Amino acid sequence: MRELVPWLTLIFRDKRRLVVGALLILLTLVSGLGLLALSGWFITATAVTGMLLAAGIAAQLNIYTPGGGIRLFAVTRTVGRYLERVYNHDTVLRLLAALRVTLFQALSSVPGFQRQHLKGADWLARLTSDVDVMDTLYLRLVAPTLLALLLTGGLIAVALFVYSPLMAGFVGALLVLAFLLSTAALHLRNGEVARQRVDGQNALRERLIDQLRGQAELTAAGLLAQTHEDLARQASIWSTDQSRLGRNIAWHRALSGICINLAVLVALWVGLELYRGGAISGPVAVLMPLMLLGMAEVLGPLPDAFGVLGSTQAAARRLNAVSNAEGGEDRGRHSDTAGGTQDASLLLSFQDVSVCREGQVVALEGVTAAIRCGEWVGVVGASGSGKSTLLDVAAGLVEATGGVIARGAGLQRVAYLEQQTVIFNDTVRRNLVPDGRQLDDALIWRTLALVRLDERISQIPGQLDGWLGRLGSQLSGGEARRIALARTLLREADLVVLDEPFTGVDAATSAAISCGMRQYLEGRTLLVAAHDASAMPEVDRLLMLQPPRGE
Amino acid sequence: MSATTNPRETRRWLSELARGHRRPIALTILAGTLAGVATIVQMGLLAYLVHQAVIVGAGLPSLVVWLIPLVVAVLVRGLAQGLQGHFAANASERIRGDVRRNLMASWRHAGPQSLKQESPAALSSEWIEQVEALHGYYAHFLPQMVLSAVVPMIILVVVGALDWLAAIFLLLSAPLIPLFMALVGMGAEKLNQQHFLTMGRLSGQFLDKIRGLTTLQLFDATERAAADLEKASDRFRVVTMKTLKVAFLSSAVLEFFSSVAIAVVAIYIGFGLLGYIDYGPADQLTLYSGLFVLMLAPEFFQPLRQLAQHYHDRAAALGAAELLRARMACGSSECVASEAAGGEMTREGGAISQAVVVKDASFAYQPGLPVLDRVSLTVEPGQCLALCGPSGGGKSTLLNLLAGFSQPDFGVVSIFGKPAGSTPFGWLGQSPFLLQGSWADNLRLVAPSASDDDMIGALEKVGLGPLVNQRARGIHSAVSETGHGLSGGQARRLALARVLLADYKLVLLDEPTAGLDLASQRILIEGFRQLKLAGKTLVLATHHQSLLEIADKVLTLDNGGSVHA
């Protein structure tokens, strides 16, 4: 349960809302119990009174108070249920917002987080669904459990003071048993399988994606049907395990229901004995069993929550791992920066720089280069030769594992355009100036004209405040790349690093942009990488990168 | 894939899926009904006991005998409820298994070409998550729909036998509840539509920002992004609550009728027992019938309340079903008699041709716009044919016909005397298959009896020798270690190694060198030369000059027409 603590702490920050929400649930549950019990009391009382009246005995019964009470409970149950749902859903949505913002802040405070922790395409979807599980932690798990315990205690107390210790003993024992069956016992049974639910799902997904990617080859080799059968079998195993969770939940709920109904039976019997003994009246003897009938609704939500507690724990554990992530593994901390450069005109210099990834995979080997202020340097090499890694090191995204990097005093800020294009589902303005700083619109339009997108953007509804991405204007591959390029150029930086800036952009437009860039980037240093000299602007110097050994 | 929504078709599709698994669903409903009946018996016995003890004044020892059926009723109720859940899980599991198999079958029918349009991540999400979304519908909602009709009816009959006026109270509420709930539901839906665009834009913000996290960090924009996220989440909450406040009214309606019915019944019975009511069946009320009716009143509404709890399962399943149905319809429409045109073998002069022959093949993606127009070619065994031409000119289409991935609208394709795709052949495209496993696993996929030496030899021929030797366990080490996969060039070379090992008679190549660096290209081209030397028949679709050099024949395809060279 330890993994849930940080999330519960976060959730309990707004105690007032949680308490009010819990009270509303309590109001609804008590009204439900009260409605049935009071009605039973009322009917028994009227039956007894009616029987006496029919026998000619003068008997009195205040019918207005209980009648009013019954009507009141009916109203409070309905109103309480509605208010409870509205209020608690509002609380849940607030929690969701708080959780997501907190998680985002934790992740963004780790430099290079995405590079290190991006394990597969589904990582993001899993993260989101894990967060979604947390925001119902209170509503589905904590609150119902606490209220069930509270009401169980209340009923035992009523049994003790209104009836007899014997009643309290039996009722208490059976209710506690019902509670344990719905909670702890179920978690013990389901925990392991529930914890592994997501892992199993991901293993399945990875295999499936592999097969889909290679469908042509598999079909050609006549292996497709076989591969599909293997997958179906693996899915069936996973599915059976998960079904077991649902079955256990159903059985435990049924067993818990048996305990409650036996408690009703016992309460009735003991109550009738007390009635026979003259300790209590007939109507009162009916109260307890009817209240116990209502306990089924109180314990109702518990099996569903505890049956999947294992996967809730696993979700919390994953989120903890992600939000406590360290920035950079300890690879025998190689100090790669030798302080400043001796030569003032030198902006950045590499001395025999190597980058080694996990598993002895050499990404960059023994690179020596120097970049002077205001210089335009191009890097070409085959795929796998380490161009992107070199740029990552230059931009400070990745640490070198060997060699020395010296950064000149003039190198304050770097603007980096990565190989993969990122467009946010947001306005054009926010895509171009993500940090939201105030920029002259004229400058923005000038930059858009440079990348030949001024006409395109002026056609979007809202222009600079128009929406890009899904549910907005869709950009083609080349257009998106140019937006990313414009974003990089708009950033005030001493060194501009571009990784394959013209992917998806046709030759004519690339040439035109390259021309305009000379004037735009006057005075700034440029480091650009591509697989070919023709895919980059005209540079002063060209570095040829050899693939590291092993290729 | 068509985006038209057709709720009726979708619902019918969902019902048809259930048709093959009537037994577990019927057992679920039966168990649920049994639980309902046991509940009625339990309530009746409880009411009877109270009546006997309080009104009739029977001694408790004489009532002990009634405890036995009471305990039995409780146990049967529990057992039946457990069985209901058991069979429900069964039904859902089987149906989902079926859907997964059908989905994969539709992928096989659609063929590799049409599937290329979709991302593997989207397809796999359909196969895993969307199918999972069907669970709640078959396990909970569907049986509960039947039970909300059956059980209340049984209860109504029992109550009717006890007091017909009370039965009328209950009966009146029955149609009113779904009516009001539907009205409210429609109102909520309308609100939903109004806010669709806003909600769509707001709900994706978290994912969006995480996805672009590195960019945000590079541009010092994380603080701004966090502030934006907070604002967006708050707006999302406000807009969602507007819709939810209306949607929750529907459950409030249910609670209202349920609570009011209990109150009305209680007060009616109370007054009736006091003798204040002189119309209707009130004078026949006893404590037994009164308590019995009271305890049955909430049970009358319980199935409907449970149905409402599972209502979102239905919505989720309908959404998923629409996607799945559209996907499977896509697949089957492309399944043009796959046994089809390839059958008739060019029996020219009685001999079955041993060449790769295409005769007058025509293919059009859209009627009237033929991509291939009466194209014919013959490739003798051991020859290499290159297909070139502009993109969209028909190279890939023709290659697909040769592969048997699609069927020609007219004409005949035959591979060494057999229909296209009937015997295994080599395919080298741009997205090779990578098995999650070792190098050896990947190679043995197509050559199960290959020895370690054979495999090492094949890998060295494609220049992957050094890479494999670098790994600790050689060919038995995992292909993709610690999340770093193979580069594009390396993956295609692995596929080439497979083709070399598998010794296919025919190898089809779809732009095999596209997007590769020079070193990888050189190695691949050398590998193709080796295949030719080994007597394999090659057909490649390419722009690449160096590849054209190894071809014996070149066919240029341009908007349907063809020019031999």
Side-chain angles (χ1 to χ4, degrees), chain B residues 461-478:
Chain B
K461 274 196 219 152
V462 298
L464 285 173
L467 181 63
V468 175
N469 291 332
Q470 217 185 14
R471 303 281 166 87
R473 295 169 63 205
I475 58 169
H476 297 291
S477 50

Side-chain angles (χ1 to χ4, degrees), chain A residues 47-126:
Chain A
V48 167
T49 312
M51 177 182 74
L52 293 174
L53 286 176
I57 305 166
Q60 264 192 329
L61 179 65
N62 177 2
I63 52 172
Y64 297 107
T65 319
I70 291 171
R71 288 192 202 90
L72 178 69
F73 277 139
V75 166
T76 54
R77 192 174 107 159
T78 310
V79 171
R81 171 82 72 208
Y82 179 72
L83 287 179
E84 178 264 308
R85 291 196 81 187
V86 168
Y87 192 83
N88 282 323
H89 250 87
D90 194 280
T91 306
V92 163
L93 286 170
R94 280 170 206 259
L95 279 175
L96 185 67
L99 283 170
R100 287 181 168 188
V101 171
T102 305
L103 192 59
F104 178 76
Q105 283 169 332
L107 300 187
S108 60
S109 67
V110 177
F113 171 84
Q114 208 174 358
R115 293 299 183 89
Q116 286 156 29
H117 296 272
L118 194 69
K119 291 186 185 84
D122 66 286
W123 172 85
L124 206 46
R126 202 197 324 166

Side-chain angles (χ1 to χ4, degrees), chain B residues 108 178 191 208 232 269 288 292 312 365 379 421 455 465 468 486 543 561:
Chain B
R108 286 198 292 276
L191 267 177
D208 198 51
I269 292 174
Y288 160 69
F292 198 179
H312 69 276
Y365 287 108
V379 187
M455 292 194 277
V468 175
L486 299 178
H543 297 293

Side-chain angles (χ1 to χ4, degrees), chain A residues 39-40 42-44 46-51 63 70-71 74 77-78 81-82 85-86 89-90 93-94 97 100-101 104 107-108 110 112-114 123-124 128 197 201 205 208-221 223-224 228-229 232 235 238-240 243 247 250-251 254 258 261 264-265 268-269 272-273 275-276 286 290 293 297 357-358 382-383 397 413 416 418 422 424-425 430 434-436 467 470-471 487-488 491 549-551, chain B residues 42 46 50 53-55 57-60 64 67 70-71 74 77-78 82-83 85-86 89-90 93 96 101 104 107-108 112 115 120 123-124 127-129 132 200-201 205-222 224-226 228 230 233 237 241 244-245 248-249 251-252 255-256 258-259 263 266-267 269-271 273-274 287 294-295 305 405 424-425 427 431-434 436 445 467 470 482 484 490 498 504 517:
Chain A
S39 302
F42 182 64
I43 288 177
T44 316
T46 53
V48 167
T49 312
M51 177 182 74
I63 52 172
I70 291 171
R71 288 192 202 90
R77 192 174 107 159
T78 310
R81 171 82 72 208
Y82 179 72
R85 291 196 81 187
V86 168
H89 250 87
D90 194 280
L93 286 170
R94 280 170 206 259
R100 287 181 168 188
V101 171
F104 178 76
L107 300 187
S108 60
V110 177
F113 171 84
Q114 208 174 358
W123 172 85
L124 206 46
T128 320
R197 178 186 167 82
Q201 203 175 42
R205 192 194 316 270
L208 186 63
I209 291 183
D210 281 340
Q211 178 267 304
L212 285 168
R213 286 219 183 94
Q215 177 135 348
E217 198 182 328
L218 284 170
T219 313
L223 292 170
L224 194 62
H228 279 172
E229 195 46 48
W238 175 79
S239 190
T240 309
S243 276
R247 281 199 199 91
W251 280 113
I258 289 179
N261 286 316
V264 171
L265 178 56
L268 182 64
W269 195 257
L272 287 177
E273 285 202 345
Y275 161 72
R276 286 317 231 166
V286 167
L290 285 178
L293 275 179
E297 191 173 324
R357 275 197 253 272
E358 288 173 49
S383 91
L397 211 56
R413 271 152 67 112
Y416 186 18
E418 290 183 279
V422 172
F424 297 103
N425 285 315
R430 191 61 101 243
D435 61 356
W467 199 267
R470 197 182 55 98
L471 291 180
R487 177 197 299 149
T488 315
R491 178 169 163 82
R549 61 181 154 81
E551 276 271 334
Chain B
Q42 177 194 353
L46 285 172
V50 174
V54 174
I55 301 294
L60 283 184
V64 168
L67 286 181
L70 198 48
V71 170
V74 166
R77 181 179 176 182
L83 283 175
H86 179 91
N90 262 7
E93 198 185 323
R96 280 176 292 135
R101 283 203 163 79
M104 289 200 285
W107 291 344
R108 286 198 292 276
L115 280 193
L123 286 171
S124 73
W127 193 77
I128 296 180
E129 271 92 18
E132 282 306 288
R201 288 184 179 173
Q205 287 296 303
F206 176 67
L207 228 90
D208 198 51
K209 289 179 168 37
I210 298 278
R211 221 180 256 139
L213 188 57
T214 307
T215 308
L216 291 172
Q217 285 172 329
L218 285 171
F219 284 80
D220 295 323
T222 51
R224 188 52 194 262
D228 280 348
E230 203 169 342
S233 301
R237 177 183 63 85
M241 284 315 296
L244 284 182
K245 277 188 190 139
F248 286 157
L249 280 177
S251 60
E255 290 297 325
F256 175 73
S258 160
S259 308
I267 292 176
I269 292 174
F271 278 43
L273 285 170
L274 283 175
L287 183 56
L294 175 74
M295 289 195 284
R305 290 172 84 207
F405 293 163
F425 59 92
W427 174 275
S431 59
F433 176 64
L434 274 183
Q436 294 285 338
L445 194 66
L467 181 63
Q470 217 185 14
T482 60
H484 293 287
Q490 290 165 332
R498 270 204 286 258
Y504 296 117
D517 55 281

Side-chain angles (χ1 to χ4, degrees), chain A residues 191-354:
Chain A
E192 200 48 51
V193 177
R195 264 188 280 274
Q196 290 163 358
R197 178 186 167 82
V198 171
D199 291 334
Q201 203 175 42
N202 286 335
L204 213 53
R205 192 194 316 270
E206 274 173 25
R207 280 190 66 174
L208 186 63
I209 291 183
D210 281 340
Q211 178 267 304
L212 285 168
R213 286 219 183 94
Q215 177 135 348
E217 198 182 328
L218 284 170
T219 313
L223 292 170
L224 194 62
Q226 173 68 27
T227 315
H228 279 172
E229 195 46 48
D230 287 341
L231 266 172
R233 208 173 309 130
Q234 193 182 353
S236 157
I237 294 173
W238 175 79
S239 190
T240 309
D241 276 345
Q242 298 308 311
S243 276
R244 201 178 311 142
L245 289 182
R247 281 199 199 91
N248 288 347
I249 291 176
W251 280 113
H252 277 243
R253 177 179 283 122
L255 284 173
S256 173
I258 289 179
C259 288
I260 294 176
N261 286 316
L262 287 177
V264 171
L265 178 56
V266 166
L268 182 64
W269 195 257
V270 175
L272 287 177
E273 285 202 345
L274 287 172
Y275 161 72
R276 286 317 231 166
I280 57 173
S281 69
V284 172
V286 167
L287 267 182
M288 194 64 187
L290 285 178
M291 281 200 285
L292 285 171
L293 275 179
M295 277 307 276
E297 191 173 324
V298 173
L299 292 182
L302 295 179
D304 286 314
F306 277 84
V308 297
L309 184 54
S311 51
T312 310
Q313 281 178 309
R317 209 173 291 143
R318 283 190 293 269
L319 287 176
N320 289 342
V322 141
S323 57
N324 294 334
E326 293 281 305
E329 303 101 359
D330 213 3
R331 272 189 246 107
R333 287 281 151 188
H334 178 98
S335 172
D336 69 345
T337 320
T341 54
Q342 305 94 324
D343 190 346
S345 70
L346 214 56
L347 198 63
L348 183 66
S349 92
F350 288 74
Q351 276 282 85
D352 198 26
V353 168
S354 305

